[in-house]
Amino acid sequence: MIVCGTGSRRNAVAVISGVGVSSGRAVGPVVRMPDPVAEPAAEARLADGADVAAESARIAAAAEQVRADLEHRATTAHGEGSAVLEATALMAADPTLVTAAQKKVDDGTAPARAVWEAAAEVQAMLESLGGYMAERARDVADVRDRIVAVLDGRPAPGVPDRDEPFVLVAHDLAPADTATLDPSTCLALVTEGGGPTSHTAILARALGLPAVVAAPGVLDLADGAVVLVDGALGTIEPNPSADTVAQVQALANREWTFDGTGRTADGHRVQLLANVGDPKGAAAAAEAGAEGVGLFRTEFCFLDRAEEPTVDEQVEQYRAVLEPFAGKKVVVRTLDAGADKPLPFLTDATEANPALGVRGYRTAVRHSEVLDHQLEAIARAATTSGTEVWVMAPMVSTAGEAADFVERAHAHGLATAGVMVEVPALALTADALMSAVAFASLGTNDLTQYTMAADRLLGDLAALNDAWQPAALRLVHLTAEAGVQAGRPVGVCGEAAADPALAVVLAGLGVTSLSMTARAIAEVATTLLSVTRDECVRLAELALSAPDARAARAAVHAQLPPLT
Ligand code: PEP
Ligand code: MG
């Protein structure tokens, strides 16, 4: 149940500002992520006269408690979360770790330290076996942390398990934390760290949860304090009024629908497409009614590979992504290896500054055969799929590079070839670019990072690294206008497309399609339908002339008609 303040009795607690990364509003009580479990001191020994057998028994009892808790949670969790919890419960039931830790207690080591050291030995052993066993080393660390938390009488690490809905407040979320996050009880995500493209942000958008990152001071909110999270404005308002709560709940109960044709109120077409990373994501996107795929991040299929995948393996993956979109468009991006997505067979892990290094299309200079193999695989998958396959290269910097890529794609029989515009230099020369390509797709995540000279992975720079920045929007405008002049479609496939208000601005700037996480499509479609093309243009002008991202966002939100 949500308790809220009323009128003048409300406490005047300041609104906290961060960066909104997943739109929507939610109200609920704060639940804070427990602090991560710290390594117990290396010199931690049993106290003089301690009962060694009893201390040893505490370890077995703690492990049993962890196993039982994980098994219980596995029965209530869904899908991948349940599988993660079951695997961890199995690890907790394995006596190897407990026996090794108990031996150390017999030698006088304190129980928590003994578990820590024993876990390190078990991890090293698993890692030496390689393959599947090496991957289990991560589960050992998770079980270790849980046992140590029980021994110390502290809450279990990871996302708290609650029956009542809550707003999760954390420093940042790791992939392992988020696998067990249940969107039916977690209303919103708020983090002190992280940036617009951090794992938390990507997960929030995939789950359709409102989220604010890089919000200093949120960790000072008390557990149970009721807050209003506005993922579009990037604010966290403690103790919201009863009216606000009622409004938010009415909106939350609304079902968003998409009739399969993205357009404004006066019928101006903007295709609404999905971003996918693998066959499972493609199936989900087709189910959500996406008009096609605007970005297939092929590197996501091969992130764990030490060696280049064979052409046959690639064909298999690509076919499975194309299949659900027979008769529709799928834009396949060639491997965007490097920076935040290293692929060992393509990228150099020793580069000092990988975001400015040999990433994306640039890897073709050293490894041109990898690009040729991939184009061959895409072409083979395309022939039997009945899907309209477009192909594009990431991290292209000049119109000349774009022309070279297009020529190569054509040589493999891929007729519709284009590039991503994510380097400011390419946006600035968009008129020259358009004569070389069949289409362009704006990668606003990287375009913003390179325009603002702000690392997209750094939470401290999140306010700069915001696609609402007028400077980045001007480059979007320049590119879209060049596309209109040349009669070439120009889409957006960065995370910006999933923000309903920004989607309206992007349509006003002239982009012809928006590609986003499938979950965002219905809300973006509804927002677009609430405005005419002329209103999109007017709102885009407001954003372009704002002094910074925060002002641009606020100006547009103030003018957008409410969707309730
Ligand atoms: C982008 O940069 O906006 C983009 C879509 O590519 P990625 O996020 O995969 O770098
Ligand atoms: Mg990119």
Side-chain angles (χ1 to χ4, degrees):
M1 148 133 165
I2 293 167
V3 183
C4 54
T6 50
S8 57
R9 293 208 329 270
R10 289 203 291 138
N11 295 333
V13 185
V15 171
I16 298 171
S17 290
V19 177
V21 292
S22 177
S23 63
R25 300 203 296 166
V27 176
V30 163
V31 167
R32 288 169 25 145
M33 275 283 275
D35 290 334
V37 172
E39 178 175 352
E43 58 283 356
R45 307 284 298 167
L46 285 176
D48 284 346
D51 180 344
V52 176
E55 292 297 321
S56 199
R58 278 180 64 216
I59 295 180
E64 171 51 23
Q65 186 178 324
V66 166
R67 183 204 59 75
D69 175 49
L70 287 167
E71 259 179 19
H72 170 70
R73 289 185 61 188
T75 55
T76 52
H78 311 279
E80 193 196 345
S82 174
V84 168
L85 289 164
E86 260 168 34
T88 321
L90 271 179
M91 188 58 79
D94 186 323
T96 318
L97 174 64
V98 171
T99 313
Q102 286 176 324
K103 271 209 189 100
K104 293 179 188 296
V105 172
D106 290 346
D107 294 339
T109 305
R113 179 69 201 174
V115 170
W116 200 273
E117 289 179 5
E121 289 167 14
V122 176
Q123 281 181 298
M125 187 260 291
L126 290 173
E127 273 158 9
S128 72
L129 296 173
Y132 172 81
M133 296 311 276
E135 284 166 28
R136 300 279 67 80
R138 257 180 287 145
D139 298 341
V140 175
D142 190 9
V143 167
R144 171 200 70 196
D145 290 353
R146 290 170 185 278
I147 297 177
V148 169
V150 173
L151 288 170
D152 290 351
R154 290 196 287 126
V159 177
D161 185 22
R162 300 289 166 102
D163 295 331
E164 293 294 318
F166 61 93
V167 170
L168 185 64
V169 173
H171 175 69
D172 201 1
L173 295 174
D177 298 324
T178 51
T180 57
L181 194 115
D182 178 359
S184 65
T185 49
C186 183
L187 298 165
L189 300 177
V190 177
T191 61
E192 194 171 58
T197 44
S198 64
H199 191 80
T200 305
I202 288 168
L203 178 94
R205 284 187 288 263
L207 293 178
L209 294 175
V212 179
V213 302
V218 281
L219 290 174
D220 297 335
L221 289 167
D223 250 335
V226 174
V227 291
L228 162 66
V229 179
D230 190 321
L233 292 182
T235 53
I236 302 108
E237 180 187 340
N239 206 18
S241 72
D243 282 355
T244 311
V245 172
Q247 212 184 31
V248 169
Q249 284 178 335
L251 196 58
N253 293 335
R254 175 173 178 157
E255 289 278 320
W256 302 107
T257 51
F258 175 45
D259 66 9
T261 307
R263 62 194 183 284
T264 59
D266 53 343
H268 170 71
R269 273 288 272 142
V270 181
Q271 262 195 333
L272 298 181
L273 310 164
N275 289 353
V276 307
D278 59 16
K280 212 168 104 194
E287 186 131 322
E291 293 189 60
V293 169
L295 169 63
F296 170 21
R297 290 180 162 107
T298 54
E299 66 281 357
F300 277 25
C301 298
F302 308 113
L303 285 177
D304 56 347
R305 295 303 186 81
E307 311 282 335
E308 181 192 354
T310 65
V311 171
D312 285 348
E313 278 177 286
Q314 294 188 54
V315 173
E316 196 188 338
Q317 289 290 318
Y318 304 158
R319 260 193 199 135
V321 167
L322 298 182
E323 210 169 57
F325 288 96
K328 293 185 175 169
K329 169 173 98 175
V330 172
V331 184
V332 184
R333 176 173 78 180
T334 55
L335 296 169
D336 185 20
D340 54 322
K341 292 163 293 196
L343 290 179
F345 58 89
L346 261 185
T347 47
D348 173 3
T350 64
E351 269 183 0
N353 201 348
L356 298 181
V358 183
R359 73 168 278 205
Y361 179 65
R362 299 170 179 188
T363 59
V365 175
R366 274 192 217 150
H367 299 283
S368 68
E369 76 291 352
V370 175
L371 177 59
D372 279 322
H373 295 156
Q374 186 175 25
L375 291 172
E376 181 190 337
I378 297 168
R380 266 177 53 193
T383 47
T384 50
S385 67
T387 307
E388 188 190 334
V389 175
W390 295 14
V391 66
M392 67 180 178
M395 196 67 184
V396 169
S397 311
T398 65
E401 280 182 355
D404 289 346
F405 172 76
V406 168
E407 195 183 314
R408 250 163 122 149
H410 287 173
H412 285 275
L414 292 159
T416 312
V419 297
M420 291 192 69
V421 177
E422 42 191 357
V423 176
L426 197 57
L428 290 166
T429 52
D431 47 355
L433 168 69
M434 293 303 163
S435 55
V437 294
F439 70 96
S441 184
L442 286 143
T444 45
N445 305 337
D446 278 313
L447 186 62
T448 309
Q449 121 163 303
Y450 296 127
T451 304
M452 303 307 295
D455 186 336
R456 66 190 258 187
L457 300 177
L458 272 189
D460 285 350
L461 302 180
L464 283 177
N465 203 347
D466 182 333
W468 279 94
Q469 288 292 355
L473 294 177
R474 286 181 194 204
L475 292 176
V476 169
H477 194 204
L478 209 58
T479 312
E481 282 207 319
V484 172
Q485 289 301 320
R488 302 280 187 273
V490 173
V492 168
C493 65
E495 300 296 327
D499 173 339
L502 191 46
V504 165
V505 167
L506 295 169
L509 293 175
V511 309
T512 54
S513 66
L514 296 166
S515 189
M516 66 204 84
T517 172
R519 276 184 172 263
I521 292 180
E523 193 181 348
V524 167
T526 311
T527 312
L528 265 184
L529 262 179
S530 74
V531 285
T532 62
R533 158 100 172 123
D534 282 353
E535 283 166 338
C536 292
V537 172
R538 193 176 53 76
L539 292 168
E541 279 162 5
L542 268 185
L544 284 177
S545 58
D548 60 23
R550 183 176 292 277
R553 183 188 270 114
V556 170
H557 274 271
Q559 301 272 319
L560 259 184
L563 295 176
T564 40

